[in-house]
Amino acid sequence: MYLLGYDIGSSSVKASLVDAVSGRTIASDFYPRTEAEIISLRPGWAEQRPEQWWDCLKQATASVMASSKIAPKDIKAIGISYQMHGLVMVDKELKPLRPAIIWCDSRGVPYGEKAFCDLGETQCLSHLLNSPGNFTATKLAWVKENEPETFERIYKIMLPGDYAAMRLTGHLCTTISGLSEMMLWDFKEGGPAAFLLDYLGFDADILPEIVPTFSIQGRVTAEAAADLGLAEGIPVAYRAGDQPNNALSLNVFNPGEVASTAGTSGVVYGVLGDVNYDPQSRVNTFAHVNHTPEQTRLGVLLCINGTGILNSWSKRVIAPEGISYPGMNDLAETAPIGAAGVSVIPFGNGAERVLRNKEIGCSIHGVNFLTHDRSHLLRAEQEGIVFSFMYGMEVMAEMGMKLSKIHAGHANMFLSPLFRNTLAGVSGATIELYDTDGSVGAAKGAGIGAGIYADNNEAFSSLEKIEVIEPVEADRRAYAEAYALWKERLNRNL
């Protein structure tokens, strides 16, 4: 008995086959081998062809089926994780009307800002828990104004994961969590956000049917089965955006539990048990995978743009030529906590939500030409990334979230002992590292949705904990002093 999980990313589509009984991943692969094309016709634009996702999904599926040699009939459920906030529009034949406008496209920003101003901050935050921002709804507002002929032909709008599920099942639907990331779910009214739909001039009929996140959402059609080499009738039983799904992959379901990633950008995602929001909208709040009308479970998302991208820049520009990432980490650790007074403000990858959408750039402070060297700069950049996490985590704490334990995958910057120890030291949180990824999490989510697992604890009972990092009490004061200096320097830039 096996479960199949897909992760529809902007760089690639990954597929994983999981043994439902042991929880072991038996095959995994991704396509394309190089990063998927992102179409950018103008600065700030980012589009992908939905058909490209399907082609990559086919190739990844063929690979895992060939390498695993399992019978298609033994796959009992399919789950889908996907890049959040994208806009896919289809006609009545369920064909895409244009390339999808994906998460990193910024053309919706002015529409979101105007809606926030016109409708009022209180109205938007109390109902949407966010400003309309640069999410799916405001991307659609751009289409309405700039491509009216396309807009008039829209039958339904959907997210990238909804598109993949539609191609698998022929059935078009989404979830409460999905509508919340579109910015089209009203948490106060418990339904689609009629006030924003009316303001933007959208008919509610363009929204897909709403289904539970964990449920039989459709079954693989004969056509899709022939296309993918799967068995007809396999249920699609779970879908979620990549950040809620990452939390699920780490078994983060309950209030106070926190998941984190630190790839190109960095994310801290914590679960809240009450409807709440940041009055300054510095973090985003969405319905978590297990949110229901009867049980409030919200995912509060902090995103820091300048994370792994700063670390890779430091490797290219600051570190000795030819050094590996582990070697760079070792060099950075030769400098003391606080990097002897050097601070790096890491916001050099665009406007930051946590800074109220200000774009202040990256800056380096406190360098003494006689006493500082590469090791201090390399330590300061990793500490600066961690301190930016802490800055946002303080916002999350203001919302009532307890941050005593952080779950993370054993990947990217969490491979750095310096990074992990700094995060534990400055936050006081215990960090638990696990061996998992988004496609594996989606497969296990499908197991929950199909009733193969009784609950998340059974689904993730085999989750492998690799390492636990506890704060070193003797170092807490040094980290606190370094963070205070970093924050003082940040505030001068704001």
Side-chain angles (χ1 to χ4, degrees):
M1 183 165 61
Y2 300 95
L3 304 167
L4 176 59
Y6 293 116
D7 188 4
I8 316 296
S10 48
S11 297
S12 64
V13 174
K14 187 172 184 180
S16 290
L17 269 170
V18 174
D19 184 314
V21 176
S22 69
R24 184 173 57 90
T25 303
I26 64 164
S28 189
D29 206 352
F30 66 92
Y31 280 86
R33 295 303 189 197
T34 57
E35 286 201 9
E37 178 190 12
I38 294 179
I39 305 162
S40 184
L41 300 179
R42 295 185 187 178
W45 289 20
E47 302 178 354
Q48 288 186 317
R49 291 183 289 273
E51 297 89 345
Q52 174 185 321
W53 302 330
W54 183 250
D55 289 341
C56 292
L57 186 148
K58 285 197 295 184
Q59 293 183 76
T61 304
S63 175
V64 298
M65 294 302 292
S67 63
S68 68
K69 297 182 171 57
I70 70 164
K73 66 180 177 59
D74 291 332
I75 298 174
K76 301 304 179 184
I78 295 172
I80 299 169
S81 169
Y82 58 88
Q83 50 171 299
M84 297 172 71
H85 314 307
L87 171 64
V88 182
M89 298 165 286
V90 297
D91 61 18
K92 290 184 178 180
E93 304 300 317
L94 304 185
K95 302 295 184 184
L97 290 167
R98 68 179 316 284
I101 302 176
I102 65 172
W103 64 276
C104 51
D105 186 291
S106 60
R107 73 187 79 179
V109 170
Y111 298 87
E113 290 177 345
K114 187 175 187 301
F116 200 39
C117 180
D118 290 351
L119 293 168
E121 295 184 10
T122 300
Q123 171 77 3
C124 290
L125 293 174
S126 64
H127 288 259
L128 305 174
L129 310 185
N130 305 276
S131 74
N134 184 38
F135 298 107
T136 309
T138 56
K139 292 173 169 63
L140 182 59
W142 181 92
V143 174
K144 182 174 184 286
E145 182 171 305
N146 294 275
E147 298 179 356
E149 292 183 2
T150 299
F151 183 82
E152 289 300 321
R153 295 174 59 203
I154 294 173
Y155 170 58
K156 298 288 182 183
I157 65 169
M158 66 190 87
L159 297 158
D162 301 332
Y163 175 82
M166 182 194 74
R167 290 295 302 264
L168 284 162
T169 67
H171 183 55
L172 210 171
C173 55
T174 194
T175 63
I176 290 176
S177 182
L179 284 178
S180 76
E181 67 175 88
M182 289 185 185
M183 219 45 56
L184 289 173
W185 183 257
D186 189 324
F187 285 91
K188 184 172 280 190
E189 300 298 330
F195 76 96
L196 187 59
L197 288 165
D198 290 343
Y199 171 82
L200 295 174
F202 306 154
D203 193 312
D205 287 345
I206 65 171
L207 300 180
E209 175 192 355
I210 303 169
V211 297
T213 297
F214 300 102
S215 65
I216 306 301
Q217 302 168 355
R219 293 182 181 273
V220 173
T221 63
E223 180 183 1
D227 214 12
L228 297 172
L230 298 177
E232 182 181 357
I234 301 171
V236 172
Y238 165 82
R239 77 185 74 184
D242 50 13
Q243 294 307 328
N245 180 75
N246 178 64
L248 168 135
S249 305
L250 294 162
N251 200 23
V252 169
F253 280 78
N254 299 309
E257 296 176 344
V258 178
S260 183
T261 59
T264 302
S265 60
V267 167
V268 178
Y269 182 99
V271 180
L272 200 61
D274 301 303
V275 175
N276 202 351
Y277 57 88
D278 172 36
Q280 298 181 58
S281 200
R282 294 165 293 177
V283 293
N284 298 124
T285 304
F286 307 110
H288 191 36
V289 293
N290 57 337
H291 177 81
T292 66
E294 298 77 32
Q295 174 182 266
T296 298
R297 292 292 183 268
L298 304 180
V300 181
L301 188 151
L302 160 72
C303 183
I304 303 295
N305 292 332
T307 302
I309 194 168
L310 168 58
N311 202 41
S312 63
W313 180 88
S314 297
K315 183 174 180 291
R316 294 194 313 273
V317 177
I318 298 174
E321 188 173 351
I323 198 170
S324 65
Y325 278 111
M328 188 173 80
N329 295 335
D330 291 342
L331 177 57
E333 285 199 272
T334 64
I337 294 172
V342 179
S343 300
V344 173
I345 308 299
F347 303 116
N349 194 31
E352 294 282 356
R353 183 82 172 190
V354 75
L355 303 180
R356 286 172 282 184
N357 293 320
K358 291 182 180 178
E359 186 169 354
I360 67 171
C362 180
S363 56
I364 302 172
H365 302 260
V367 173
N368 184 304
F369 298 140
L370 300 178
T371 59
H372 294 132
D373 57 26
R374 282 191 176 105
S375 68
H376 298 93
L377 291 171
L378 293 172
R379 179 166 196 125
E381 63 95 350
Q382 287 205 32
E383 288 184 342
I385 294 166
V386 172
F387 294 161
S388 68
F389 277 36
M390 188 64 210
Y391 187 77
M393 288 162 66
E394 289 178 340
V395 176
M396 298 167 78
E398 291 171 10
M399 296 173 63
M401 187 173 296
K402 296 179 180 178
L403 300 160
S404 59
K405 185 183 292 184
I406 297 172
H407 298 226
H410 190 242
N412 301 315
M413 291 197 71
F414 278 98
L415 295 172
S416 165
L418 187 155
F419 182 86
R420 302 190 307 246
N421 291 333
T422 302
L423 182 57
V426 73
S427 68
T430 298
I431 298 171
E432 296 184 351
L433 298 182
Y434 293 89
D435 182 19
T436 188
D437 71 15
S439 57
V440 172
K444 292 185 176 182
I448 299 171
I452 294 167
Y453 300 125
D455 55 25
N456 62 290
N457 292 318
E458 182 180 350
F460 294 97
S461 61
S462 60
L463 187 63
E464 183 183 355
K465 188 186 297 183
I466 296 174
E467 190 174 352
V468 177
I469 299 95
E470 299 281 359
V472 177
E473 286 303 317
D475 294 336
R476 292 292 307 280
R477 182 172 179 178
Y479 285 121
E481 290 174 350
Y483 176 56
L485 178 61
W486 178 92
K487 192 155 65 167
E488 178 186 327
R489 288 167 167 166
L490 168 65
N491 288 334
R492 293 177 197 162
N493 285 264
L494 293 177

